[in-house]
Amino acid sequence: MSSGTMNAEMLTVAPTVAPTVASTGAPAAILAMSHVDMDFTLGSGFLNRMTLRAVSDVSLSLHAGQALALVGESGSGKSTIARILARLYRQTSGTITRAGADVASFTAKDLATYRRDVQMIFQDPFASLNPTHTVGYHLERAIRLHRPNLSRPEVRDHIDALLTQVGLLPARSFAERRPHEISGGQRQRVSIARALSVEPSVILADEPTSMLDVSVRLGVLNLLADLKEHRKLAALYITHDIATARYFAEQTAVLFAGNLVEQGPSTVITETPQHPYTRLLIESVPNPANRITGTAPRRSQDIALRAPTSRGCPFVSRCPRATSICQTEMPVQTWLGDGHFVRCHNL
């Protein structure tokens, strides 16, 4: 078999688990979480322990060929959600389903398949790559772990095909380099190639461009968009930048202090935001006009996240529209049509 034929075949392998079809005819979610809570215990000893709820009653679903952007400031729980979906954390309550099957019922073999199909791209590409090994080693190790039947020439061809697909040319030259010998953007492309090496159907991208120079961010986002379209990947795109969320993702979910406060089509969320926190995120996007006019962008009066002081809305201490009910009752989801919901008492 020629190298060209091998490359073409390896890059068109279908996902291991195909999405089921719901009774309505719409594709069911490839991966979903339903009413998930995540608690962490802080401190030591009986008297010094306290429980922190990092994620509260979160439900999300990922679909083939589409991206869901999870937007929020640092500490809001975005990475925790990704790690729950990647099975790096076990949720305190709620369910995770893969193609409709409850992950809690999976056998060890099922979980191995799950971890192959659901791959994570971490925020810092340099920290996620071993500096003592070559790029080729990182890719070969993942391939051999999940596809042990491939011969050495087949593995080599697969590595070259992956590096070519993520734009690292000449592929053989990059395969022989170490992480410190390539740029930050190239390292992130290696991380993407490593995630793709086992033919996943779901990608969890945890702020994949935040550690990169502005000049190379668009290239990485375009690469992820192409992979999503051509491989029909389901993608969770975690970011604090709501502008790139609209560019890359069909759906956007806004997270504050572990709570989903608004979700819907990305164009709807960015053009007609309903929750005060979503509006704050949009207002914080840099405006080139500020440099010309000298007008400073509006800043939040309270940048740090605060733990809720009551069972009310977690955004109450920063909300300009807060009323007495916001102090005592958590708002329910209000559906506004077109898959758009918001949790706010004062719409």
Side-chain angles (χ1 to χ4, degrees), residues 149-179:
N149 295 329
L150 292 182
S151 66
R152 183 173 294 276
E154 289 174 330
V155 171
R156 180 187 174 100
D157 287 343
H158 196 18
I159 290 172
D160 290 348
L162 287 165
L163 292 175
T164 299
Q165 188 176 24
V166 299
L168 295 177
L169 297 169
R172 190 43 34 192
S173 173
F174 275 97
E176 295 169 354
R177 300 182 193 179
R178 287 175 169 78

Side-chain angles (χ1 to χ4, degrees), residues 317-346:
S317 65
R318 294 169 57 177
C319 183
R321 301 188 302 192
T323 58
S324 58
I325 193 174
C326 303
Q327 299 281 350
T328 57
E329 294 185 22
M330 180 69 179
V332 298
Q333 293 181 357
T334 300
W335 290 90
L336 306 176
D338 195 25
H340 181 196
F341 76 79
V342 62
R343 301 183 75 162
C344 182
H345 289 299
N346 303 301

